[in-house]
């Protein structure tokens, strides 16, 4: 699969990991990281959003989490191949199990929200292991007092 190329970095992709999509690109472009020192991406996949934030905001340090070992491997490669490698860290862990002494100024996630019978992207695309409520509650513990949680949530789920 050909890499998806951005201004200062490329994204290696794999058929086993949720690939670059419009939602992730838009979220990475809209996040405000001007006053952010330490950011967290939940469910990083290929590392797209972390890389976009690192490109846009040169002082941001980013931790990126994913439960999928293949995603962590690919994100790690993408991070290593970028000019921002020294500010990016990828960790294989379930967000519900993640613990940090540090608070984050920005937590960003393009969480799973599709409804489908396909088993291909079951964990990456569906709320199987992390519900919106769990994402928000866990983020409330990890975010700084002036921090921002930036997520994409379908309007149908916004009330829940």
């Amino acid at each position: 699969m050909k890499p998806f190329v951005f201004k200062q970095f490329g994204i290696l992709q794999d058929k086993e990991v949720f690939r670059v999509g419009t939602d992730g690109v838009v979220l990475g472009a809209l996040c405000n990281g001007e006053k952010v020192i330490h950011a967290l991406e939940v469910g990083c996949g290929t590392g797209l959003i972390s890389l976009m934030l690192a490109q846009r905001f040169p002082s941001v340090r980013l931790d990126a989490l994913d439960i999928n070992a293949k995603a962590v491997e690919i994100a790690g490669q993408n991070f290593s191949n970028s000019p921002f490698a020294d500010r990016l860290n990828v960790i294989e862990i379930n967000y519900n199990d993640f613990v940090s002494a540090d608070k984050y100024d920005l937590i960003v996630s393009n969480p799973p929200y599709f409804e489908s019978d396909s088993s291909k992207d079951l964990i990456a695309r569906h709320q199987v292991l992390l519900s919106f409520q769990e994402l928000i509650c866990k983020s409330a513990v990890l975010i700084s007092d002036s921090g921002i949680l930036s997520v994409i949530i379908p309007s149908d789920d916004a009330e829940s």
Side-chain angles (χ1 to χ4, degrees):
M1 188 174 292
K2 291 173 71 173
F4 197 99
V5 180
F6 286 80
K7 190 174 184 178
Q8 296 178 25
F9 65 90
I11 296 284
L12 299 174
Q13 301 185 89
D14 188 281
K15 62 184 176 187
E16 295 178 37
V17 177
F18 191 55
R19 292 165 296 287
V20 173
T22 305
D23 289 351
V25 172
V26 169
L27 184 57
L30 291 178
C31 280
N32 184 352
E34 289 177 17
K35 297 180 181 178
V36 173
I37 296 170
H38 201 190
L40 176 68
E41 181 182 2
V42 179
C44 68
T46 60
L48 166 70
I49 295 170
S50 290
L51 284 159
M52 289 182 71
L53 292 172
Q55 176 179 278
R56 292 179 57 219
F57 306 104
S59 63
V60 174
R61 289 181 299 113
L62 295 119
D63 292 328
L65 311 179
D66 207 294
I67 197 167
N68 180 320
K70 186 66 172 181
V72 169
E73 176 188 332
I74 291 172
Q77 289 175 350
N78 288 331
F79 291 175
S80 294
N81 293 337
S82 79
F84 329 111
D86 61 331
R87 297 186 287 121
L88 298 165
N89 178 43
V90 63
I91 304 163
E92 181 181 346
I93 193 166
N94 183 319
Y95 188 46
N96 288 318
D97 298 329
F98 180 67
V99 177
S100 175
D102 296 330
K103 296 290 185 177
Y104 291 92
D105 306 305
L106 172 66
I107 298 176
V108 61
S109 183
N110 180 13
Y113 59 84
F114 290 95
E115 292 182 21
S116 169
D117 295 331
S118 169
S119 61
K120 180 179 173 290
D121 293 318
L122 187 62
I123 292 174
R125 292 182 175 231
H126 304 272
Q127 292 184 65
V128 174
L129 299 176
L130 183 66
S131 70
F132 294 130
Q133 184 174 1
E134 290 169 325
L135 172 65
I136 292 166
C137 289
K138 180 70 176 190
S139 297
V141 172
L142 294 170
I143 203 157
S144 66
D145 290 340
S146 60
I148 298 168
L149 174 61
S150 187
V151 297
I152 292 178
I153 296 179
S155 59
D156 292 350
D157 294 311
E159 301 277 330
S160 45

